[in-house]
Amino acid sequence: MNCYEIDGLVPVVEEGAYVHPSAVLIGDVIVERGAYIGPLASLRGDFGRIHVMENANVQDNCVMHGFPDADTQVLPWGHVGHGAILHGCVVGENALVGMNAVVMDGARVGDHSIVAAHAFVKAEMQIPDRVLAAGTPARVLRELRPDELEWKRQGTQTYIDLVGRCLNSLRPAVPLRTVEPNRPRLFENADYLPKYKA
């Protein structure tokens, strides 16, 4: 990983967490055990503290940053989709922030809630627990159904499992020049499907 100290503060990555080598961690960053930080994610603790808690994930190309007096937090089992931006906000326990969504300063995504892809959560917005929020600016659309909460839980579990897979088997490789005969697939009969297929 690209890990940088600033003003005497060094990022903390607990044992059992996985941070991709291309991710950047600067200064006051804490990544707890079981957490996953994806390729090219940028966690800049050069002003406020960045804290990714146990079993949470921050996926590819995400940005976490905040003002000097603010913590930017992803609580346990939080799930932050590809390309999302979190700035001085809190993503609640077991909540999901969709791909390319933006959550601004002082906002809080409630526990077990989902922020849809491309949503813009304005500064200081307080999203209740167990709801779906979407739009630009985001607004609460409805309560989440039990099957949606279970789908989210399963999705986060796949990232917790990915931490172990990465720690055990991810390594640099030289690409092959041709596809080998009978090339295996990683998941032949996956139980976890996109919501539109479930």
Side-chain angles (χ1 to χ4, degrees), residues 14 38 40 66 74 84-85 94 101 105 121 125 129 135 146 150 160 165 168 174 178-180 189:
E14 292 185 356
L40 302 173
V74 181
I85 298 172
N94 201 40
D105 303 278
V121 178
M125 182 176 186
D129 296 346
E150 175 58 18
I160 294 168
R165 292 173 57 214
N168 292 325
V174 176
T178 59
V179 177
E180 64 268 52
N189 297 300

Side-chain angles (χ1 to χ4, degrees), residues 131-185:
V131 299
L132 172 65
T136 303
R139 62 186 180 87
V140 174
L141 300 182
R142 60 177 173 79
E143 290 187 6
L144 289 169
R145 300 185 310 265
D147 65 298
E148 293 169 319
L149 292 167
E150 175 58 18
W151 174 82
K152 188 275 168 199
R153 186 202 64 75
Q154 290 176 8
T156 301
Q157 184 62 53
T158 65
Y159 272 88
I160 294 168
D161 296 343
L162 182 59
V163 169
R165 292 173 57 214
C166 290
L167 291 172
N168 292 325
S169 70
L170 186 76
R171 62 185 180 275
V174 176
L176 304 174
R177 295 294 184 197
T178 59
V179 177
E180 64 268 52
N182 300 313
R183 181 177 175 90
R185 298 184 70 90

